[in-house]
């Protein structure tokens, strides 16, 4: 099974992010937009994993959030990865709560490495992916909208983080299906 660890967000916040995404869609760039029901913040991608590893993974997640209390996470700021000269991903960032999410991601990296999951080579950046560029078509227009939004520094929405989820990604020809295997309370 193909697994990842994520922070799922409430429906109200998904609606707010969807509204922002709809503004960006007006650029008519060639982007594969993420559907609202797939909005999440990935903390660690695990990839193909055997069923018998689930209990150890769940133990690592629990250890990674031990001692934390529920906290507020606020989404604000937008940008592109890896940079505006070669944009491949459009994202929305996390402002409030970022340090705690960074800490959880760091702890997950440390604890899961013991199980054989290699550490990410890239620095963790708390973000929610809005879409992925497919071609150069209208790219400049979209980057202009993303940059204008970033300058506005408007908060998109916030919520209280109370759990971290172990997720399964089931690949289908029409796109992945995400299924929560287990939520672990903070």
């Amino acid at each position: 099974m193909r697994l990842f660890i994520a922070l799922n967000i409430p429906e109200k916040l998904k609606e707010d992010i969807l509204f922002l995404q709809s503004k960006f869609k007006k650029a008519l760039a060639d982007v594969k937009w993420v559907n609202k029901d797939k909005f999440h913040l990935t903390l660690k991608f695990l990839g193909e994993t055997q069923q018998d590893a689930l209990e150890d993974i769940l133990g690592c997640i629990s250890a990674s959030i031990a001692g934390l209390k529920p906290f507020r996470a606020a989404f604000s700021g937008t940008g592109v990865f890896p940079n505006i000269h070669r944009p491949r991903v459009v994202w929305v960032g996390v402002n409030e709560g970022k340090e705690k999410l960074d800490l959880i991601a760091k702890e997950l990296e440390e604890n899961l490495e013991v199980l054989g999951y290699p550490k990410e080579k890239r620095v963790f950046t708390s973000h929610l992916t809005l879409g992925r560029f497919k071609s150069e078509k209208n790219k400049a227009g979209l980057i202009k909208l993303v940059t204008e939004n970033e300058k506005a520094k408007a908060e998109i929405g916030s919520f209280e983080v109370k759990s971290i989820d172990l997720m399964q990604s089931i690949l289908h020809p029409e796109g992945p299906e995400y299924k929560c295997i287990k939520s672990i309370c903070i």
Side-chain angles (χ1 to χ4, degrees), residues 5-8 41 43 58 60-73 97-105 107-108 159-166 182-186:
I5 299 167
L7 177 63
N8 283 306
L41 191 152
L43 293 163
L58 292 169
C60 284
I61 296 171
S62 293
S64 299
I65 59 175
L68 286 178
K69 293 184 176 167
F71 60 95
R72 183 150 297 282
K98 179 185 175 315
E99 295 81 14
K100 289 191 176 160
L101 291 171
D102 290 350
L103 176 65
I104 293 170
E107 291 293 320
L108 286 169
F159 73 107
E160 188 170 12
V161 178
K162 297 177 182 174
S163 63
I164 302 298
D165 301 325
L166 177 61
K182 186 164 185 172
S183 284
I184 300 176
C185 292
I186 292 177

Side-chain angles (χ1 to χ4, degrees), residues 14 28-29 31 33 45 48 51 55-56 60 71 79 81 97 108 111 143 153 159 175 183:
K14 285 182 179 180
L28 301 177
V31 171
W33 296 103
F45 181 76
E48 286 299 325
Q51 177 85 27
E55 287 305 315
D56 288 339
C60 284
F71 60 95
F81 288 138
L108 286 169
N111 292 326
I143 289 174
K153 302 270 184 212
F159 73 107
S183 284

Side-chain angles (χ1 to χ4, degrees), residues 2-173:
R2 191 169 187 255
L3 301 178
F4 63 100
I5 299 167
L7 177 63
N8 283 306
I9 59 177
E11 285 302 313
K12 168 66 176 99
L13 185 54
K14 285 182 179 180
E15 290 293 332
D16 296 337
I17 293 171
L18 186 66
F19 179 73
L20 174 67
Q21 188 188 57
S22 72
K23 290 182 179 178
F24 292 164
K25 284 182 176 179
K26 291 177 182 170
L28 301 177
D30 190 16
V31 171
K32 180 174 174 56
W33 296 103
V34 174
N35 291 330
K36 183 186 92 167
D37 63 331
K38 305 282 189 305
F39 287 158
H40 68 275
L41 191 152
T42 300
L43 293 163
K44 174 74 177 167
F45 181 76
L46 302 174
E48 286 299 325
T49 302
Q50 296 297 316
Q51 177 85 27
D52 59 5
L54 287 181
E55 287 305 315
D56 288 339
I57 292 169
L58 292 169
C60 284
I61 296 171
S62 293
S64 299
I65 59 175
L68 286 178
K69 293 184 176 167
F71 60 95
R72 183 150 297 282
F75 285 84
S76 75
T78 52
V80 294
F81 288 138
N83 58 59
I84 61 169
H85 304 293
R86 283 187 317 120
R88 293 186 4 218
V89 171
V90 181
W91 52 262
V92 59
V94 175
N95 183 355
E96 184 181 348
K98 179 185 175 315
E99 295 81 14
K100 289 191 176 160
L101 291 171
D102 290 350
L103 176 65
I104 293 170
K106 180 179 177 271
E107 291 293 320
L108 286 169
E109 290 286 345
E110 298 288 333
N111 292 326
L112 288 162
E113 186 180 34
V114 176
L115 296 182
Y117 294 95
K119 286 184 177 179
E120 282 289 327
K121 293 180 177 141
R122 296 174 290 187
V123 175
F124 176 78
T125 304
S126 300
H127 74 281
L128 183 147
T129 298
L130 294 176
R132 292 177 174 78
F133 287 88
K134 293 167 57 180
S135 76
E136 298 290 318
K137 180 183 166 195
N138 296 333
K139 188 182 279 186
L142 177 54
I143 289 174
K144 181 176 183 247
L145 290 176
V146 170
T147 304
E148 287 170 359
N149 187 75
E150 175 62 14
K151 287 179 182 171
K153 302 270 184 212
E155 182 177 305
I156 297 158
S158 66
F159 73 107
E160 188 170 12
V161 178
K162 297 177 182 174
S163 63
I164 302 298
D165 301 325
L166 177 61
M167 304 290 293
Q168 181 179 9
S169 173
I170 303 163
L171 299 178
H172 299 289

